[in-house]
Amino acid sequence: MVEISFLLNGQTVRVSNIDPHTTVLSWLRQQGLIGSKEGCAEGECGACAVLLLRPDGQGSRLEAVNGCLLFLPSLAGQEVWTVEGLAQGDRLHPAQEAMLQGGSQCGYCTPGFVVSMAAEYYRKGRQGFDLEALSGNLCRCTGYRPIRDAALSLGEPPPSDPLARRLEQPAPPLGPVRYTAQRTYLRPTSLAELFQMQAEYPQARLLAGGTDLAVEANQRFVRAEALLDLSTLPELKTLRWEPAYVELGAGLTLSELERALQGRIPLLSAWFPLFASRLIRNRATLGGNLGTASPIGDGPPVLLALGAEVVLGGPSGERTLPLEAFFTGYRKTALVSGELIRAVRIPLPLAPLARFFKVAKRTLDDISTVAAAFALELEEGRVKRLRIGLGGVAPTPARAYQTEAFLLGKPWEERTVRAAAEVLRGEFQPISDHRGSAAYRRAMLGSLLLKFYQETQEVWV
């Protein structure tokens, strides 16, 4: 394929001879669409936000995503809007009009806020305006109150609104892509096709949401011979409830999981709002979060506490591993050449008492100093089953096996838990870094176990 095409603000665009690592943000600004800004190049400020049309039942939905983390070829066959495309001729979009009433200050962040506001404005079935939709947008003038007021002033889209009418129709199906310009971008539409492409390009980097890989490209100038986009593989989009487990496809974005699960796995529901921002969750996938094998990721501790398994797929078939066996070292996994994470399985029934705690310098949109997830089942006041998943205290995400064993069969009471907290503090040898000292991390481990006890005490007593 010598070119890709997509709809930009309602007009067909054809692109050729552009390196696949070029971001949507960079390309937009080269075209003179400079409403999208670069503030961080890692998805933390939202100044680059654009709208993507995504499938949603019989119709479609608009999702705000970071243009700085979106490689241009991934737009092939899609529909995208920038802040410039929201107005209708000389008539401003309601989100733009609302921001003019005191919400815009220096103006740098304004286009990104408008885009995120527009995504929420068109969200089907909303009751009022969910301010969490703006969680990924940063205002350096610290003017959030007038921005909040602008958002809360928005009503419902009128029936004649062109974008509202567009959402009544399905998003276009995305087909395969093979685009080469200096390097190669590949988008297979089945696992069989993916494995063939991997054999052809053994050094290709797998691309899911791109929220990690694009940061490497932006800030470290990492370039791959080929990018293998997993976003259109139906085998990675499963969500199945079985008697013994629930299977979550590795290619589902965190926003898709949040909507589909509807709170049925409370520990995941506690984690979702603390994972980055809505802009990031609209792209980040469960499989990508695990595949990076980061020791400070929040997803692995939650899934470790849930007793999750990973389903690994390759040309010769599938195999299943307990999640704790998947992480083999710092940023290393049990994946062999040609394999990928196809799904995550969470055993049922779920532990009745569960909590997730994240210790970070900021409550939202920050990397954990320590992350801890607990899942507990009691029988006659004694610990029948307990899993503790941790992040930020070892070279890999980890289970607190010694502490779990210490508490097994013991009464769930303060004296016992305080003793267990001492065991937990001594079970790991964390490092000191700019997020926190080793001593602080050990202290947090014990404190979080005690916090879990206090919260569950209120529930079951």
Side-chain angles (χ1 to χ4, degrees):
M1 181 179 292
V2 295
E3 68 175 19
I4 59 169
S5 65
F6 54 92
L7 287 181
L8 173 64
N9 296 330
Q11 302 297 316
T12 299
V13 172
R14 290 181 170 80
V15 176
S16 61
N17 201 31
I18 297 290
D19 187 284
H21 295 83
T22 302
T23 65
V24 170
L25 170 63
S26 175
W27 181 83
L28 286 173
R29 295 186 63 80
Q30 291 170 21
Q31 308 311 303
L33 295 172
I34 56 175
S36 302
K37 307 288 198 299
E38 179 175 289
C40 65
E42 59 182 10
E44 287 200 15
C45 74
C48 62
V50 298
L51 291 171
L52 278 183
L53 190 74
R54 305 293 294 154
D56 185 31
Q58 298 300 311
S60 51
R61 64 186 299 119
L62 284 172
E63 289 189 338
V65 299
N66 295 107
C68 73
L69 301 183
L70 200 62
F71 292 130
L72 186 65
S74 67
L75 293 185
Q78 299 209 59
E79 297 180 34
V80 60
W81 283 265
T82 67
V83 68
E84 293 91 347
L86 294 176
Q88 297 299 311
D90 294 332
R91 190 173 73 250
L92 292 178
H93 187 273
Q96 295 169 317
E97 191 68 55
M99 285 291 281
L100 282 180
Q101 310 307 314
S104 179
Q105 286 137 95
C106 82
Y108 195 89
C109 71
T110 301
F113 270 101
V114 166
V115 168
S116 290
M117 288 170 64
E120 173 65 9
Y121 177 71
Y122 290 109
R123 180 169 62 85
K124 299 173 186 175
R126 68 178 174 90
Q127 300 294 320
F129 191 101
D130 183 4
L131 290 172
E132 199 273 337
L134 307 181
S135 64
N137 296 88
L138 176 66
C139 172
R140 288 172 174 82
C141 298
T142 65
Y144 292 112
R145 186 198 56 76
I147 293 173
R148 178 203 64 187
D149 293 346
L152 294 177
S153 73
L154 290 174
E156 300 290 326
S160 60
D161 186 291
L163 279 176
R165 293 202 309 268
R166 176 65 188 89
L167 299 184
E168 296 174 359
Q169 304 300 318
L174 299 183
V177 175
R178 182 184 287 263
Y179 169 80
T180 298
Q182 304 174 52
R183 300 174 181 88
T184 299
Y185 167 89
L186 304 162
R187 189 171 73 194
T189 54
S190 70
L191 273 181
E193 190 178 356
L194 167 72
F195 296 142
Q196 291 174 0
M197 290 177 173
Q198 281 184 306
E200 185 179 353
Y201 294 90
Q203 302 305 315
R205 293 287 300 274
L206 297 183
L207 172 66
T211 56
D212 195 67
L213 183 56
V215 174
E216 290 185 11
N218 290 341
Q219 300 194 352
R220 300 178 185 172
F221 206 72
V222 173
R223 296 292 183 266
E225 172 195 356
L227 296 171
L228 256 172
D229 189 340
L230 310 178
S231 62
T232 54
L233 300 180
E235 298 93 336
L236 305 189
K237 300 284 188 178
T238 57
L239 201 159
R240 296 189 294 120
W241 289 89
E242 301 289 347
Y245 62 85
V246 55
E247 180 176 289
L248 309 177
L252 290 168
T253 68
L254 299 188
S255 289
E256 288 173 329
L257 283 171
E258 191 174 8
R259 289 193 297 270
L261 291 174
Q262 297 182 329
R264 295 177 68 182
I265 303 180
L267 204 51
L268 287 179
S269 297
W271 169 52
F272 288 140
L274 299 178
F275 185 94
S277 67
R278 177 60 64 193
L279 286 164
I280 294 291
R281 294 198 298 276
N282 284 341
R283 291 292 297 172
T285 65
L286 192 62
N289 187 249
L290 296 178
T292 61
S294 170
I296 52 175
D298 296 338
V302 171
L303 294 170
L304 286 169
L306 289 168
E309 299 178 325
V310 285
V311 182
L312 309 181
S316 58
E318 291 187 349
R319 62 190 179 111
T320 304
L321 281 179
L323 183 58
E324 49 264 49
F326 177 71
F327 303 110
T328 59
Y330 178 71
R331 294 280 188 174
K332 295 181 179 179
T333 72
L335 286 168
V336 299
S337 179
E339 277 189 325
L340 80 168
I341 307 170
R342 188 189 66 76
V344 173
R345 288 178 180 169
I346 297 172
L348 300 175
L350 301 172
L353 299 173
R355 295 289 189 278
F356 171 65
F357 302 113
K358 177 172 179 171
V359 179
K361 293 182 178 180
R362 299 193 304 266
T363 302
L364 299 175
D365 201 9
D366 201 2
I367 295 173
S368 296
T369 303
V370 175
F374 303 89
L376 170 69
E377 181 180 353
L378 298 175
E379 186 174 69
E380 297 182 353
R382 293 180 177 271
V383 176
K384 179 181 178 181
R385 178 163 57 106
L386 173 65
R387 293 193 187 96
I388 303 174
L390 301 171
V393 297
T396 68
R399 283 268 303 275
Y401 290 111
Q402 294 177 27
T403 307
E404 293 172 7
F406 177 85
L407 282 167
L408 189 64
K410 288 186 172 63
W412 188 242
E413 59 187 23
E414 184 172 352
R415 182 177 60 179
T416 307
V417 175
R418 286 192 177 278
E422 291 303 313
V423 175
L424 186 55
R425 290 186 183 103
E427 188 168 347
F428 297 94
Q429 300 298 319
I431 64 170
S432 296
D433 59 21
H434 64 281
R435 294 188 183 90
S437 67
Y440 176 75
R441 286 185 161 101
R442 284 194 294 269
M444 283 298 98
L445 289 177
S447 296
L448 293 176
L449 179 58
L450 289 167
K451 183 176 182 179
F452 175 59
Y453 166 74
Q454 293 295 337
E455 291 192 6
T456 54
Q457 183 76 359
E458 297 170 2
V459 172
W460 75 275
V461 166

